[in-house]
Amino acid sequence: MVGMVKVGTSSAHESGLNHRAGIALPLLLALILGALSGLVLLPQAQHLRSLRDGVPAHATLHSGGTCVLGRCKVQFEVDGRTVVADLPAGSSGGKNPAGTRLTVRYRADDPQTVADENDVDGGAHMFMAAVVGGAALIFLALSARKAVSLARLKRKA
């Protein structure tokens, strides 16, 4: 008949692509989230924790903005000279406008390595690493579940 369309049928090739996408997409998301957690968030938390014993200094937020992306600067005095340093990405300093006074900790041998004193415990970054890592594991489990399901279907066929 002319003008009739079959609905709900697909070729074996299209079905295979759907199954592969059902495995590959969660696997790709798991890899991306796992890399974000392990290669970005955990090292950032360790960096912040390394500044726990840093030298405290009273600083002024030189330029506010999106500290989440690492675009905040603080200005403080070290041995009579003015230092302008970047707060690390994810800093809590961005909640405040430029000119706000805050306490920072810096490395004695490198005043450019600085963090807001409220961030040096690294807790927020560790929490985010755990959440993102957990999401990576969920997507990995979804991908594995789909692969097992596909293997069972092939065995039955």
Side-chain angles (χ1 to χ4, degrees):
M1 293 181 150
V2 178
M4 296 207 53
V5 177
K6 283 188 173 182
V7 177
T9 61
S10 64
S11 69
H13 178 70
E14 288 175 351
S15 178
L17 285 178
N18 288 338
H19 288 297
R20 284 188 200 113
I23 295 170
L25 185 59
L27 184 60
L28 179 64
L29 287 171
L31 290 173
I32 290 170
L33 292 173
L36 175 64
S37 179
L39 299 174
V40 177
L41 295 172
L42 280 176
Q44 184 68 13
Q46 291 169 343
H47 168 70
L48 290 171
R49 285 184 173 180
S50 75
L51 290 168
R52 265 192 233 166
D53 298 327
V55 180
H58 295 289
T60 304
L61 193 59
H62 185 267
S63 60
T66 53
C67 288
V68 171
L69 301 175
R71 295 190 177 151
C72 289
K73 295 182 183 297
V74 291
Q75 180 177 336
F76 57 100
E77 296 286 324
V78 175
D79 298 330
R81 66 182 178 101
T82 301
V83 176
V84 176
D86 293 324
L87 286 175
S91 236
S92 62
K95 299 174 188 173
N96 304 314
T100 301
R101 302 279 298 159
L102 53 120
T103 303
V104 296
R105 291 197 175 262
Y106 66 92
R107 284 200 182 129
D109 60 340
D110 181 16
Q112 291 294 320
T113 304
V114 64
D116 187 338
E117 189 172 55
N118 297 325
D119 296 333
V120 295
D121 66 347
H125 285 82
M126 288 299 289
F127 175 75
M128 285 304 298
V131 168
V132 172
L137 290 175
I138 289 170
F139 281 113
L140 185 61
L142 286 173
S143 181
R145 181 174 178 241
K146 185 67 175 181
V148 168
S149 174
L150 181 60
R152 287 181 182 163
L153 281 176
K154 284 185 177 181
R155 230 182 293 147
K156 284 182 182 180

